[in-house]
Amino acid sequence: MEFVFDGHNDVLLRLWRNMRNGADPVAEFVNGTREGHIDGPRAKAGGLAGGLCAIYIPSGDLILKEPDANGHYHTPLATPLERAPSLDIAIEKLALAHRLDKAGAWRICRSTADIRSAMDDGIFAAVVHMEGCEALDADLAALEVFYAAGLRSLGPVWSRNNAFGHGVPFAFPMSPDAGPGLTDFGFELVKTCDRMGIVIDLAHITEKGFWDVAKTSEAPLIASHSNVHALTAVARNLTDRQLDAIRERQGIVGLNYAVTMLRPDARDDANTSLDLMVRHIDYLVERMGIDCVALGSDFDGATVPQEIADAAGNQKLVAALKHAGYASDNLAKLCRENWLRVLSQTWHEPR
């Protein structure tokens, strides 16, 4: 079995929603459930050894547009969120992450040594990520608190605008050059994250925002769950020019399992071949090299191919990549080692 460290999942969102409805999130994760994609038993079955676990604030007014007769759609950006309720939700989810840690359901990891230790011990290695920074104040005082509690990665924006920058809409076909980039506060956020050793995730930001981060940050450029725009022309996917910049900075792109970001027609159809996942991996490897490509499933946040189904199906993708000619050393890079390299570098760990 090839152990996988995954660049993005939304399991905290699912557990938090169920907790608010009276469920026990620790029992759900430890004992397993038929709901969603990730829990302890399914992670073990599929070799999902850990990943970046998102603190995401839901946008209640976002309703994805149905495709028109040509298969095209354009969902307007969700309304910006207020900070106070966003902070409340972020704290609830961070507390939930620590509750899982305290119960031994998973282990919050603050270094690559922590990740490797958790993997060796057979415990899910959770890295706390913030997807959209609505919970942060403009002077970034709260960032210090979140960091102390384990936060090691953030995306300045989700697919909506906030005090730090502008997000891309869910749209097809559409360029990621969909609006302005970072705000003045956003530039300060990037500089602060560089200093503190916090990952800046480019997965939901506009193309202008991407270039704003590229010129401001000295860290590797990271898109945790994004695919190839030349193959699937959704606004969330990356252009060749962006991929080239990530390669030049020895960054990373994590393959998103979302079928809307894999299929040439961008339809939300789980009847999607694993060949399309391999095709995106092949393109990324040919464009950037094997060291800059990894996995970023978006489990519990998107429709994934029915053959994968959930975390237990991860090894089916590994088998497809092996069948496509990827040798064991390169499979190790794609599944975990590339993530550990780029995290170690971004977190200022000694070499």
Side-chain angles (χ1 to χ4, degrees), residues 56 59-63 75-81 158-161 169:
Y56 160 73
S59 279
D61 67 331
L62 183 70
I63 301 176
T75 300
L77 289 174
T79 304
L81 302 178
W158 183 68
S159 286
R160 62 187 168 227
N161 302 333

Side-chain angles (χ1 to χ4, degrees), residues 97-177:
H98 278 268
R99 184 175 169 187
L100 291 163
D101 180 274
K102 185 176 181 180
W106 71 17
R107 187 177 297 166
I108 293 177
C109 297
R110 295 169 170 82
S111 68
T112 56
D114 287 349
I115 294 170
R116 292 191 186 279
S117 177
M119 292 170 65
D120 289 344
D121 293 341
I123 299 174
F124 189 92
V127 174
V128 179
H129 168 76
M130 182 177 286
E131 188 175 28
C133 289
E134 285 82 2
L136 299 184
D137 51 305
D139 65 7
L140 303 179
L143 181 59
E144 299 280 354
V145 179
F146 278 100
Y147 183 87
L151 181 74
R152 290 297 182 272
S153 174
L154 62 80
V157 298
W158 183 68
S159 286
R160 62 187 168 227
N161 302 333
N162 63 24
F164 302 100
H166 297 78
V168 292
F170 296 98
F172 170 80
M174 188 175 184
S175 163
D177 188 12

